[in-house]
Amino acid sequence: MRLSKIVIQNFRSISNAEILPSEFSVFVGQNNHGKTNLFEAIEWFYTAKSSPTELFTKLESSNPIVVELHYDDVLDIDVEKLVDVNKTKIRTLLGNSTAFMVRKMSTDHKRSYFVDGADKGNPSGIDTAINEFIPKLEYVNTQIRLEDVSGYKDKNPIGQMLSGVLNAIIANSEDYKAFSLQFHKLFESEDSEVREQLDLLANNVGIYLKKQFPGDVEVRFKVNPPQFSDLLKSFDTTVDDGVVTNAQAKGDGMQRAIMLSIIQAFADFRKQQATGSSFLFLIDEAELHLHPSAQRLLKQALIDIAETDQVMINTHSSVLVVDEHERQKLFRVEKTDRITQFSEIAEIEKQDVIFDLLGGSPHDLLLPRNFLVVEGKTEYELITRVIKRFYADRCTGIKVLFAGGDIRRQEESIEAIDLTLRPLVGNEGGIYRDRLVVLLDKPNANQANSFKRFREGYPYLFDSNRVFQLETCSLEESYPAPWTKTEIEVRSLSDTMSEKVKLARAVAASISQEDFETKMNVVFKSLQRCADTAFQS
């Protein structure tokens, strides 16, 4: 089952809108154009029992607020997840249909149900069944903080998520079942000695209270037994960055990252489960407090979540817009005469959208004069530091770009180089097509076919002498003494790349300009060629 259409009327700046979301929907637009109003209209559908005047478009409460959520592709497995009584109600409502629509209006704040265009009204008990059936809402707004989601609350979906995961993990444990039985016997059984002592304590406290409030005042004191279900509803997060600190005391960036990580961890667990409720995630300003590199990782995590649940975000970040994905749809949000309009962004419009997000001026783009594309972070660390030491004037504006930044393709360096080049060279008219330079290790035996395809894909780079190749299969083998490493020594370096990076930094800090230009001549010539073909500043 998926949410296929959203219709909103007369909610704040949204007079009349129809949106066809995908599994991962991204809404972009300037401040105060109505992105958040969309999310709050959906939240209104889920939670509202009243509607103050300020919620109505142009404050005209005579025109009711209407929110419709349309669902398609209802599967048997979606119904089978429900408890039996709700399962029966949903099947009776849907009949043989695999689609339905739910409408809520501010006139009575009740839901009406439509199947194949027929108004089914609001049959008895259907709201409870629908609440279990449709995706649960998790709205992460800009004000929410870690303490709002990490502590368990009965009506907090994230709390329900975490508790549900923990219960599912241990539910089949025989020790857990025995403990649960003993717990209930200890605190709830009528012949429990513990229960008897708790009642005695309550009675004594009640007697003393009665003495302080004589007369007709009836004072009762009761010791409630602990709830077994609460044992898995307490969560805590600490951060050790030199000083161990509760995460709730950390900055907004850390708090938001942890909060979103909770959602991601839940999604990972759900992918392995055949049962469980689905979720609709709304994330307001998803990039808030996050570094661009973290934004890119977050986007991938949210796209992963969209395998099982629907995700909608609004953003001002080009990072969350630029990468394509088959599950992704982009929407422009614009306000004209105080009314918000939504329109799907076509591919041909995407460049303009990103340009606006980057500031709307060529001066804001900070385009490099040229790119030197290298295989991994070690080359990046070495060359950027050498530029700073010896070639700051000549190489200002040259960006060293390492393809190994895509950690999943780190062992497929030539394919990673290919992926890095594509957006820079374009099909025919990329502005760096005739300028950028590539530095490669000598291909090993396993890379021969990949290198052949690479050469066939970018013949103009080779024809114009813009591909430089080391004489060794790794940068570490090309260092001059005393930093030179053998092939065996290279393989023994840390798999996390940290040892290689440390070595690159040490070489860059100590090597002389003469040794760099003569003993690392291929690297020097690649940098020299990059400067020669760069745009003039």
Side-chain angles (χ1 to χ4, degrees):
M1 177 175 59
R2 70 184 189 94
L3 177 61
S4 58
K5 183 164 71 173
I6 303 166
V7 176
I8 301 171
Q9 296 174 4
N10 203 36
F11 186 89
R12 289 184 173 156
S13 64
I14 306 174
S15 175
N16 194 342
E18 181 177 300
I19 300 161
L20 306 178
S22 65
E23 296 94 331
F24 181 70
S25 301
V26 182
F27 297 84
V28 297
Q30 297 182 19
N31 289 329
N32 196 38
H33 274 234
K35 300 187 300 297
T36 300
N37 287 345
L38 166 63
F39 289 179
E40 292 189 350
I42 296 172
E43 184 184 39
W44 178 91
F45 171 90
Y46 272 84
T47 64
K49 296 181 180 179
S50 63
S51 299
T53 303
E54 58 265 24
L55 292 184
F56 293 80
T57 302
K58 296 182 178 179
L59 305 182
E60 294 177 358
S61 56
S62 58
N63 296 326
I65 296 172
V66 180
V67 176
E68 295 177 358
L69 300 186
H70 296 243
Y71 298 91
D72 288 346
D73 301 331
V74 177
L75 304 175
D76 286 340
I77 191 173
D78 297 320
V79 182
E80 285 299 320
K81 294 176 182 178
L82 307 177
V83 299
D84 287 343
V85 63
N86 291 339
K87 193 182 304 182
T88 301
K89 287 183 169 61
I90 294 299
R91 284 189 170 139
T92 300
L93 175 72
L94 294 181
N96 295 322
S97 181
T98 59
F100 66 100
M101 182 266 280
V102 188
R103 175 188 293 159
K104 181 173 180 176
M105 301 177 64
S106 60
T107 49
D108 58 9
H109 297 91
K110 293 182 179 179
R111 296 173 180 171
S112 298
Y113 299 91
F114 297 77
V115 179
D116 295 331
D119 186 349
K120 300 291 186 176
N122 189 293
S124 175
I126 192 65
D127 285 338
T128 300
I130 286 290
N131 286 341
E132 184 187 2
F133 189 46
I134 65 174
K136 288 180 168 56
L137 178 68
E138 179 55 44
Y139 177 26
V140 182
N141 62 45
T142 54
Q143 285 79 39
I144 200 165
R145 291 178 64 83
L146 183 61
E147 60 262 31
D148 297 323
V149 297
S150 61
Y152 180 82
K153 298 178 182 177
D154 285 342
K155 296 181 179 180
N156 182 335
I158 291 185
Q160 293 175 10
M161 282 189 269
L162 286 170
S163 182
V165 168
L166 293 173
N167 275 297
I169 289 172
I170 65 175
N172 294 323
S173 165
E174 293 301 323
D175 288 342
Y176 175 77
K177 292 176 182 177
F179 173 65
S180 174
L181 182 65
Q182 184 62 29
F183 185 96
H184 289 291
K185 181 179 179 181
L186 187 63
F187 289 104
E188 297 178 11
S189 173
E190 292 183 359
D191 58 356
S192 166
E193 182 180 348
V194 171
R195 179 69 264 173
E196 181 181 337
Q197 292 299 319
L198 292 177
D199 290 341
L200 178 60
L201 172 63
N203 183 62
N204 290 339
V205 172
I207 291 173
Y208 289 116
L209 283 171
K210 183 68 175 177
K211 290 180 180 179
Q212 298 179 56
F213 297 95
D216 296 332
V217 179
E218 183 71 20
V219 181
R220 292 193 179 98
F221 179 80
K222 182 180 179 181
V223 180
N224 292 319
Q227 297 299 304
F228 184 78
S229 58
D230 286 339
L231 298 179
L232 296 177
K233 297 176 182 176
S234 178
F235 317 106
D236 186 49
T237 308
T238 58
V239 177
D240 185 355
D241 52 4
V243 178
V244 178
T245 310
N246 189 289
Q248 295 177 1
K250 302 299 290 185
D252 290 334
M254 175 65 76
Q255 289 206 29
R256 193 168 177 88
I258 292 172
M259 176 182 61
L260 295 173
S261 296
I262 291 172
I263 295 174
Q264 295 162 26
F266 167 75
D268 286 341
F269 178 82
R270 279 222 329 109
K271 290 174 190 174
Q272 305 169 22
Q273 307 302 307
T275 60
S277 300
S278 59
F279 278 77
L280 172 62
F281 293 103
L282 309 180
I283 304 180
D284 200 7
E285 295 189 25
E287 75 278 8
L288 193 66
H289 309 303
L290 298 180
H291 185 276
S293 60
Q295 294 176 31
R296 193 172 296 276
L297 293 173
L298 171 64
K299 178 174 180 177
Q300 183 57 55
L302 294 178
I303 287 175
D304 290 344
I305 288 175
E307 289 184 23
T308 54
D309 302 280
Q310 280 184 276
V311 179
M312 298 168 62
I313 67 172
N314 68 51
T315 184
H316 299 128
S317 170
S318 63
V319 174
L320 297 179
V321 173
V322 64
D323 293 333
E324 288 293 328
H325 196 278
E326 59 183 3
R327 297 194 194 102
Q328 173 178 290
K329 267 190 182 181
L330 302 178
F331 296 88
R332 189 195 307 269
V333 185
E334 292 181 302
K335 184 186 287 185
T336 304
D337 296 329
R338 300 185 179 183
I339 298 299
T340 296
Q341 301 291 334
F342 299 86
S343 59
E344 191 171 341
I345 297 170
E347 182 62 29
I348 196 171
E349 302 174 284
K350 189 173 178 180
Q351 180 172 311
D352 291 336
V353 171
I354 294 171
F355 182 77
D356 290 340
L357 290 173
L358 289 172
S361 166
H363 297 290
D364 294 316
L365 298 181
L366 297 176
L367 289 174
R369 292 174 52 227
N370 206 357
F371 285 94
L372 175 58
V373 182
V374 299
E375 290 194 31
K377 193 172 183 181
T378 52
E379 289 89 349
Y380 168 83
E381 293 286 346
L382 174 78
I383 297 172
T384 54
R385 282 168 165 74
V386 166
I387 287 174
K388 187 175 181 180
R389 288 186 64 201
F390 306 134
Y391 311 110
D393 293 336
R394 188 177 183 193
C395 294
T396 295
I398 289 178
K399 171 63 179 173
V400 182
L401 192 64
F402 67 96
D406 188 315
I407 202 70
R408 291 169 301 177
R409 302 188 70 89
Q410 202 164 34
E411 298 305 318
E412 306 167 30
S413 55
I414 295 179
E415 284 88 345
I417 286 274
D418 177 40
L419 289 178
T420 304
L421 289 179
R422 289 179 197 174
L424 298 176
V425 300
N427 293 328
E428 291 294 340
I431 65 171
Y432 295 103
R433 182 184 178 88
D434 298 325
R435 299 184 183 276
L436 63 77
V437 173
V438 179
L439 174 64
L440 298 173
D441 296 342
K442 178 182 177 181
N444 59 38
N446 294 329
Q447 294 174 320
N449 289 332
S450 295
F451 182 75
K452 180 181 178 182
R453 290 194 300 270
F454 179 78
R455 184 165 194 138
E456 291 170 348
Y458 300 94
Y460 53 89
L461 292 178
F462 291 86
D463 294 343
S464 58
N465 190 32
R466 288 187 287 129
V467 176
F468 291 81
Q469 192 173 325
L470 297 179
E471 296 177 356
T472 60
C473 293
S474 70
L475 180 66
E476 290 75 22
E477 295 171 79
S478 295
Y479 291 147
W483 305 288
T484 315
K485 298 295 181 183
T486 65
E487 182 181 350
I488 295 175
E489 287 174 329
V490 171
R491 286 201 298 266
S492 70
L493 292 175
S494 170
D495 290 336
T496 63
M497 295 293 292
S498 60
E499 294 301 320
K500 293 182 180 179
V501 168
K502 288 179 184 178
L503 179 60
R505 291 173 178 173
V507 174
S510 302
I511 194 171
S512 67
Q513 183 173 352
E514 180 181 359
D515 280 352
F516 177 71
E517 294 179 2
T518 58
K519 297 179 181 180
M520 300 194 73
N521 185 251
V522 174
V523 181
F524 168 64
K525 284 185 174 180
S526 70
L527 183 58
Q528 191 176 43
R529 180 69 171 143
C530 190
D532 290 341
T533 59
F535 286 105
Q536 298 304 306
S537 55

